Amino acid sequence: SAPPEAQTWKSLLMQGVCDERPARRTGLLHATWIRESAQRPGWGEEFGDLQTFIDLRVDPYYRTTAARHPDLAKHFAFLIEQCLERRVSLVHGDLSPKNLLVLDGAVTLIDHEVIHWGDPSFDAAFLTNHFILKGFYRPGFAASLGRLASAYWDELRSGSGAASSWIESAAMAHLGGLMLARVDGKSPVEYLDPEVRKQVRQQARELIQSPPASSDEAFERCFKS
């Protein structure tokens, strides 16, 4: 249903196109998604089956990565518990730039395969993680990607209703785990070379053990040099 000339946001970001409009539109879309679905508890029954989310996210991302980093197992166990027990709104499960089609700053969200009733902070962390990973891939654009993350979070915080009081701290708890999962889980990103993967791994472990308070702090710590 998107215009045929729309491009994936991923392709634009990989080219270094750091237009703030899609970031704000995505933040507004996500905030509306959380706020409006949270007011429809009946959807919790309709979308209550977590098996696809477990099969496609919990197992390949968190459980696999925990097995490869046993010293962090308790942290991943906590993240899994949050995903499975904090169930307050619809969760897309794959809120990433590849699933956002962009045309003139407007966005269309696609690929709802992993949708479920659960923890919306997972989606927020999932998207923030993609901004950071692309900063490692294109360090010259890291500051611009950080501004996109800030724009997304500005809209999400202001429009997500009751979740606005806790969603950012909860998402930052997930962030390091998702970063590490994209280099050491079953679904590593394809565009990072081995040396950059080492950098991501080190930063991810630090963020897991000491979560940032905000996405701005996460960018500052990852790209402080």
Side-chain angles (χ1 to χ4, degrees):
S1 62
E5 61 271 31
Q7 300 181 64
T8 67
W9 199 13
K10 177 181 178 179
S11 67
L12 294 171
L13 293 176
M14 296 292 274
Q15 297 167 43
V17 178
C18 294
D19 183 355
E20 191 174 298
R21 293 176 299 168
R24 293 201 173 275
R25 293 286 184 86
T26 301
L28 177 61
L29 171 64
H30 192 199
T32 304
W33 172 297
I34 294 169
R35 186 184 66 250
E36 295 297 320
S37 67
Q39 297 175 17
R40 293 166 170 79
W43 289 3
E45 296 182 11
E46 183 176 354
F47 298 100
D49 188 348
L50 294 175
Q51 195 57 53
T52 300
F53 178 67
I54 291 170
D55 291 343
L56 298 183
R57 292 293 175 266
V58 174
D59 286 350
Y61 281 64
Y62 283 171
R63 288 184 175 136
T64 296
T65 309
R68 294 172 179 172
H69 294 267
D71 62 312
L72 299 175
K74 67 177 183 180
H75 295 280
F76 282 101
F78 171 76
L79 297 178
I80 293 169
E81 178 184 356
Q82 294 299 296
C83 286
L84 302 184
E85 295 188 6
R86 182 192 280 141
R87 309 187 68 183
V88 298
S89 73
L90 281 181
V91 178
H92 184 271
D94 198 3
L95 188 62
S96 67
K98 71 179 175 63
N99 289 328
L100 287 154
L101 304 182
V102 177
L103 180 64
D104 295 330
V107 298
T108 302
L109 179 60
I110 63 172
D111 192 2
H112 297 71
E113 178 184 18
V114 197
I115 192 171
H116 63 282
W117 188 262
D119 178 4
S121 71
F122 181 87
D123 277 344
F126 204 82
L127 182 58
T128 304
N129 182 41
H130 277 280
F131 290 131
I132 289 179
L133 292 175
K134 286 166 181 59
F136 278 100
Y137 175 66
R138 300 287 296 273
F141 292 101
S144 295
L145 289 162
R147 286 191 288 272
L148 296 189
S150 292
Y152 159 77
W153 273 103
D154 284 347
E155 299 295 337
L156 182 60
R157 283 190 296 262
S158 65
S160 54
S164 62
S165 64
W166 56 265
I167 192 169
E168 189 161 18
S169 61
M172 293 304 104
H174 279 287
L175 182 59
L178 287 170
M179 283 178 64
L180 194 58
R182 297 317 299 269
V183 294
D184 289 337
K186 284 188 178 179
S187 181
V189 291
E190 78 283 1
Y191 50 81
L192 299 180
D193 64 37
E195 186 57 38
V196 176
R197 288 176 187 273
K198 290 180 182 178
Q199 298 172 23
V200 173
R201 185 177 296 114
Q202 178 181 345
Q203 289 291 340
R205 288 180 59 88
E206 292 179 6
L207 294 183
I208 289 171
Q209 295 170 334
S210 178
S214 66
S215 66
D216 288 344
E217 181 184 329
F219 267 86
E220 181 179 354
R221 286 167 59 178
C222 288
F223 304 107
K224 54 183 176 291
S225 59

